[in-house]
Amino acid sequence: MQGLRAVFLHGWGFGPDIWTPVISRLGWDGVQTPDLGFLGTTGASVDEVFKRIGQEGRPVLAVGHSLGFLWLASQQGWPAGSIMVGVNAFGCFAARPDFAQGVSARILARMIKGLETDAAGVVNTFRARCGAPAVPEGCCVNVAPLRAGLDMLMQADVRTPLAGMAGRICILGGTEDAVVPPAMLAASVPGGVTTRWVEGGHMLPWTNPEACARLLRDVAASGAGQPDL
């Protein structure tokens, strides 16, 4: 991987296991899969992992699914030579005056309200829209991190930062993605960002793991000498 440290971050309502099919195909050593804490007993937190990244100073191949990409793109101070890849990703999620293709803020507000009374129901409704199974029986859902994630989806807009990083970013989108349709994805990232498309929905790491792995191999192989993020 030409010295890159691979870090994979999952999206809202899921956990690090979303990346298992992709990582198993890559066979890379030292892969980090931090946990945003949405489900169950969480693993290594994003704060712990990114503290270590800063201490190492080693360039990172930062890979994010959906909200995971938005979170990664919101961070600053990446080590020199780092690269960013998004899967089913976006630079802005909630609709606003200059982003009519986004999701209505009312939908996100209803989800936030629903967390107060039936967090598992909110998560499972979203997972069903993604084409994913419900949360396993007995797995707890963690309201505070879920609320923080929805707040980020409601408020975050990284389109301007992405424009300055366009040459160091690649995104893989699904042509049948019901959560982030192609028109929404295309409008949410600057024109200079490389975007590849595959036939699939919002769960490409599960449904199209080989396509994800192929893209990551290509990016890692061409990643030497990238400027700072």
Side-chain angles (χ1 to χ4, degrees):
M1 268 227 303
Q2 303 187 28
L4 292 167
R5 164 76 75 187
V7 176
F8 290 75
L9 189 60
H10 61 89
W12 193 88
F14 294 89
D17 63 301
I18 189 176
W19 292 113
T20 300
V22 179
I23 293 171
S24 66
R25 283 164 170 78
L26 290 169
W28 291 346
D29 295 327
V31 171
Q32 300 286 308
T33 55
D35 195 340
L36 287 166
F38 299 137
L39 303 175
T41 302
T42 60
S45 73
V46 289
D47 292 336
E48 293 170 353
V49 170
F50 281 85
K51 180 180 180 180
R52 290 199 297 270
I53 286 173
Q55 292 171 341
E56 290 180 354
R58 178 178 172 183
V60 177
L61 174 55
V63 186
H65 176 252
S66 195
L67 170 67
F69 176 81
L70 186 67
W71 193 98
L72 292 169
S74 300
Q75 308 308 302
Q76 299 180 353
W78 291 94
S82 296
I83 313 168
M84 195 170 295
V85 174
V87 180
N88 300 116
F90 42 82
C92 189
F93 191 75
R96 54 202 70 205
D98 64 343
F99 183 49
Q101 298 88 346
V103 173
S104 170
R106 290 192 300 272
I107 294 175
L108 292 167
R110 285 199 298 269
M111 292 175 70
I112 290 171
K113 183 67 175 176
L115 289 179
E116 300 173 5
T117 55
D118 184 14
V122 172
V123 171
N124 285 331
T125 297
F126 174 74
R127 286 172 68 107
R129 182 165 177 75
C130 294
V135 174
E137 190 70 27
C139 177
C140 64
V141 295
N142 302 317
V143 174
L146 288 165
R147 169 62 192 266
L150 289 176
D151 287 341
M152 172 168 270
L153 289 171
M154 179 89 78
Q155 301 166 10
D157 180 356
V158 297
R159 289 175 292 173
T160 297
L162 288 178
M165 304 186 279
R168 289 158 279 144
I169 299 172
C170 188
I171 292 178
L172 184 67
T175 58
E176 300 171 7
D177 191 335
V179 177
V180 187
M184 175 181 168
L185 191 163
S188 76
V189 296
V193 171
T194 299
T195 304
R196 294 188 188 180
W197 298 94
V198 295
E199 186 176 345
H202 194 67
M203 300 302 298
L204 295 181
W206 277 352
T207 62
N208 301 68
E210 184 53 45
C212 296
R214 187 182 310 117
L215 172 63
L216 290 168
R217 291 189 200 102
D218 291 346
V219 170
S222 63
Q226 296 287 344
D228 291 1
L229 277 178

